[in-house]
Amino acid sequence: MIDRSVRLARRNVDTLFASILLPLLMMALFVYVFGGAINTGTEYVNYVVPGILLLTTGYGAASTAMVVADDMNTGMIDRLRSLPIRSFAVLTGHVVASVARNAASTAIVILASLAMGFRPGGGVIDWVAAIGLLLLYVVALSWLAAGLGVIAKTVESASTLSFFMLFLPYLSSAFVPPDSMPKWLQPISEHQPITPVIETVRSLLTGTPMGNNGRTALAWCCGLLLFSVLLATALYRRRTSR
């Protein structure tokens, strides 16, 4: 199932291209157009790149929902139900393909950010920790997207259901400091799961103070992963048992 999902991802060139191109365009937009007007106390490219990395994983995970929805609504799952396959394996294949796709797009975004002037100061251990946290986050997000794809009736509705994955980073500290936002919006930005993950990656790569963000980010990612796996598996079994 992993091999099948990876081959499907490799053939779906337009989705793979979009998951790479959109974050690159967003990074170029904020660095070259808006960056000069935003004061973060440091070079804006160094501030925004960790947020762009989280946005990249969101784009990649959202496409997982559409692929799962396509399988669920085109008869492919009915064929698989006749085989001695655990239900967990079907979704696992899509999640692993999502992680591989996200790894490729994230690597390209990092290379592009270096060309745009991103100068990380973290050492090897910091990079390993940042990559590990991003990997944990994308696995959790991919399982959540798989669950959304299971309940979606069409590929289009799967895209709509996964929209919040793309929107939530804009309400975090990805692009501007939370204290620059309106008073009523600051608590939303400071107490959502994306912000501590971004702040932890930013601290590891650029040396900003981490505080409690590391523990908070791990708690959010582990909790989201457990919730998403249980939810996606339960929804899949419920729908395929009819």
Side-chain angles (χ1 to χ4, degrees):
M1 296 309 301
I2 292 174
D3 178 67
R4 170 183 176 269
S5 298
V6 170
R7 284 188 284 112
L8 286 175
R10 195 168 58 239
R11 294 171 184 172
N12 198 354
V13 180
D14 53 344
T15 301
L16 181 62
F17 183 71
S19 65
I20 297 173
L21 181 62
L22 289 177
L24 289 177
L25 291 177
M26 290 297 299
M27 182 165 60
L29 177 67
F30 276 90
V31 170
Y32 295 129
V33 179
F34 301 141
I38 301 176
N39 182 19
T40 61
T42 182
E43 288 290 332
Y44 186 67
V45 64
N46 291 333
Y47 181 89
V48 79
V49 166
I52 294 294
L53 294 178
L54 268 290
L55 193 67
T56 302
T57 60
Y59 279 117
S63 63
T64 304
M66 294 183 283
V67 177
V68 172
D70 185 64
D71 269 0
M72 298 297 298
N73 296 287
T74 56
M76 183 63 193
I77 297 300
D78 293 330
R79 296 174 61 186
L80 294 176
R81 287 171 64 187
S82 65
L83 301 175
I85 302 176
R86 293 183 181 273
S87 58
F88 191 81
V90 178
L91 298 180
T92 300
H94 288 296
V95 170
V96 172
S98 173
V99 173
R101 183 171 57 246
N102 273 287
S105 59
T106 301
I108 293 174
V109 169
I110 290 175
L111 292 176
S113 69
L114 294 174
M116 291 182 184
F118 178 52
R119 296 296 178 264
V124 175
I125 296 178
D126 296 319
W127 273 96
V128 171
I131 292 172
L133 180 60
L134 287 172
L135 180 62
L136 179 62
Y137 174 77
V138 73
V139 171
L141 210 61
S142 297
W143 271 107
L144 180 59
L148 297 176
V150 169
I151 62 175
K153 299 300 182 182
T154 64
V155 174
E156 291 75 16
S157 63
S159 176
T160 303
L161 288 173
S162 58
F163 172 75
F164 77 94
M165 294 183 182
L166 310 180
F167 182 72
L168 199 58
Y170 294 99
L171 300 179
S172 69
S173 63
F175 302 105
V176 295
D179 56 14
S180 68
M181 300 179 182
K183 294 294 184 181
W184 61 269
L185 189 57
Q186 290 181 18
I188 299 176
S189 175
E190 293 171 352
H191 299 96
Q192 59 143 307
I194 306 295
T195 294
V197 178
I198 291 174
E199 291 301 325
T200 301
V201 173
R202 185 175 286 139
S203 176
L204 290 169
L205 297 185
T206 64
T208 58
M210 183 179 296
N212 294 323
N213 288 312
R215 290 190 293 271
T216 306
L218 283 175
W220 270 114
C221 289
C222 292
L224 179 61
L225 176 59
L226 179 61
F227 170 79
S228 300
V229 171
L230 295 176
L231 177 67
T233 305
L235 290 174
Y236 180 87
R237 288 174 178 170
R238 180 178 179 181
R239 185 166 179 183
T240 56
S241 63
R242 298 174 183 175

